[in-house]
Amino acid sequence: MPPIAPQRKSGLTMADPKATKRVQELRRQLEHHNYLYYVLDRPEISDAEYDRLFLELKELEARYPELGSPDSPTQRVGAEPLKQFVQVRHLQPMFSLANARNDEELRAWHLRVTKLLAEKGMDPAGAAFVSEPKIDGLAISLVYEDGRLTRGATRGNGEIGEDVTANLRTIGAIPIRLRLGRDEKPPAVVEVRGEVYLPLAAFQKLNQQRAAAGEPTFANPRNAAAGSVRQLDPRVAAGRPLSIWCYQIGFTDGLELESHWQALTWLREHGFKVNPLVKQHHDLDELTQACHDWEERRPELDYDIDGVVIKVDSFTMQQALGIVGRDPRWAIAFKFAPSTAVTRLLKIGVNVGRTGALNPFAIMEPVEVGGVTISQATLHNEEDINRKDIREGDWVLVQRAGDVIPQVVGPIIQKRTGAEKVYRMPEKCPSCGSHTVRPEGEVVVRCPNRSCPSQIVESIKHFVSKGAMDIDGVGERLVDRLFRLGMIRNMADLYYLDPEELVGLEISHSVNRNGREIPHRLQARSVGKMMDALDKSRQRPFHRVLFALGIRHVGSINARLLASRFHDIDALMAASREEVAGVEGIGPVIAEAVKEFFGEPHNRETVRRLRAAGLRFEAAAAELAGAGPLADQAFVLSGTLASLSRADAREMIEARGGKVSGSVGKGTAYLVLGENPGSKLARARELGTKILSESEFLKLMGR
DNA sequence: CGGCCTCGAGTTCC
DNA sequence: CTCGAGGCCG
């Protein structure tokens, strides 16, 4: 915002000493909290308190204009829009980096470095290295004179960049003044280099807003960051939550440092944001490991990285190694395969789920993203497609971030030809042709036809799935095939299959080199396995059978609640809506869904036949509520456990009367910690939930 | 009625 | 894992 026009009242010409002191104090406090918030990501006061301090300072500065200062926290967004950027020459050229695309090339670089050092009479065994993430953002240079930020510039061609000081000042993580110790004198000049980036979450939000406003979206976070920094109007840049990682000191006058590691430490101590995961190493194995660690960690990060930068630590050694052309020999960029890619969205397909929900998904030209080939990705629902403005025929940006699951980030508007088709959810179910409905206030479009083939097949797949009846040897493919052949029409039919009819059944085929189709037939052995698995499933506890039936809103937890309160299926079927809704955790909506399910004659028939096939429709004594040593204790599993699978752990907990839930909440009794825990750990720490290691957990289980 | 918290449903790749 | 929606508490 532009500085507020001074409203000088006559007679008030000089600020009293109290105001002067208060202004200084406020600036010091605001700078400190700014640092805690943006650089350390560890705020100590609320946003509201910060705003209060900020406002107080602004008012004082308005009242006493003579106390104003361009370095004041109120002046981060101070400048007026520019007509154009001024070109500036860097105090020291900003070099580029040679690439290593795999372990072998990294090794070759390391070998060359050690050889060269030996030739120069240095001991290569004493060489230390530093690894740091290579942020996919915008390289910039910040010049501090006498401790004050005087110039910020883009990298440009390395020699000459553009002066973007006004925009960089709006970035909270960039200090306007160096954080100095008591009596510490700032160096006359220090040039700090870093990479400005837009956090991925902010990028997505920004693109959604732009799409909604009909503005073109950014193709990726780097473009968005670069576009923001090169805004002529600093107020636009201020509205983008940009951040920075600082990684180097360029030109300096008045600073004596011996190594890169020392430089990073200096930066950290003087208020700059330096990546906390930067590490020091001593041999090639450690370096290789560091590169792989970063690649693995990549999906968890809130910023894009396209590799790891390795530098020789000692400045003396750096000098000895020198620069060839533009690339210093003492540094190299280990590059990853890109985790985002652009490809063509050929068509939007629709799946019909077991509840009748129509789920659109993107069919794309296969493209490699983060090391795997992606050809499909879910598009969630119609609103999401429209919000992102994704059209058939678009070039789209796909990414694998946050998790392993690929997502379509959005279209590349610049690549539009006009031939793209705006997407409309089908009015007829793609499986059965029924008119689809979208209940008011809901997001999903549904097929209302209960005998829709897609819904039936999907519900059978649910029935045999791991969490439900867990029938090994009957997978999705086989269910599809058996249904299409008319051998099963619902889940009960599985138990009435004739093994003799199954043997020799063609389930799929592959094409050999001569283009000839080779049929794959069910062998007697696999049919035997199937029958065994079906047999075993007859022993599954009642609550799993109830879950397997696929009643709407009745998942594994609610099935367990119902099973333990109603003991058997007859009691449940006979219960009134009110009685069902009376169960703790079950409300009117779920009760209605239960009644509706059992009100359907053909569902009752399925239950009858499953019962006749020998499935369990009553709860064993131990399954009743409140039984077991861990009665009603809630567990959450995080990460991978070394000695047992998630499902095993769950069984152990449940066998003792405990529950397993997917997220940490107030009611969670324990978090069981495995390797590579996710966000649950942080949440558990926040709530003070008891955290168990794997061995502690096993002990609790009595093993 | 609003704001948590928890559960359900659907998902990708190898 | 994420999103949407149901249930419950204040």
Side-chain angles (χ1 to χ4, degrees), chain A residues 607-643:
Chain A
V607 168
R608 192 192 62 73
R609 293 181 63 224
L610 287 172
R611 214 173 189 178
L615 303 213
R616 297 183 40 181
F617 278 92
E618 55 189 59
E623 294 166 37
L624 294 178
L630 300 175
D632 293 332
Q633 302 245 54
F635 286 71
V636 173
L637 305 170
S638 182
T640 326
L641 297 170
S643 66

Side-chain angles (χ1 to χ4, degrees), chain A residues 7 21 137 150 185 223 230 249 268 326 526 556 606 700:
Chain A
Q7 293 181 349
K21 233 176 142 199
T150 50
K185 267 192 58 163
N223 284 2
R230 295 196 68 264
I249 292 180
R268 248 189 218 118
R326 297 208 135 184
S526 25
S556 55
T606 300
L700 186 69

Side-chain angles (χ1 to χ4, degrees), chain A residues 464-596:
Chain A
V464 303
S465 72
K466 249 184 153 27
M469 300 305 282
D470 192 13
I471 303 175
D472 224 14
V474 184
E476 303 211 345
R477 267 221 166 126
L478 190 60
V479 170
D480 268 333
R481 190 79 189 124
L482 293 176
F483 183 83
R484 228 172 311 153
L485 290 169
M487 296 176 73
I488 51 174
R489 305 212 64 88
N490 62 47
M491 41 203 115
D493 290 339
L494 287 168
Y495 294 92
Y496 296 88
L497 283 168
D498 180 354
E500 299 198 351
E501 268 186 58
L502 291 173
V503 175
L505 196 72
E506 189 186 326
I507 41 172
S508 63
H509 57 77
S510 53
V511 180
N512 75 0
R513 241 177 309 176
N514 307 326
R516 181 160 325 155
E517 289 189 0
I518 315 265
H520 290 225
R521 297 178 185 283
L522 265 184
Q523 304 297 307
R525 246 173 64 134
S526 25
V527 173
K529 260 174 93 181
M530 235 176 97
M531 291 298 142
D532 284 350
L534 279 162
D535 206 37
K536 261 207 260 166
S537 75
R538 291 181 226 258
Q539 301 308 315
R540 302 272 179 258
F542 176 41
H543 65 87
R544 287 192 45 172
V545 177
L546 202 49
F547 169 52
L549 289 176
I551 304 167
R552 192 115 121 82
H553 300 132
V554 179
S556 55
I557 305 273
N558 290 342
R560 196 178 293 269
L561 288 174
L562 292 171
S564 66
R565 299 299 133 113
F566 289 99
H567 190 60
D568 62 31
I569 193 103
D570 297 314
L572 179 59
M573 285 168 77
S576 72
R577 185 166 318 161
E578 290 69 31
E579 284 170 318
V580 177
V583 177
E584 173 89 24
I586 306 289
V589 176
I590 299 176
E592 175 61 31
V594 171
K595 288 312 288 175
E596 199 185 308

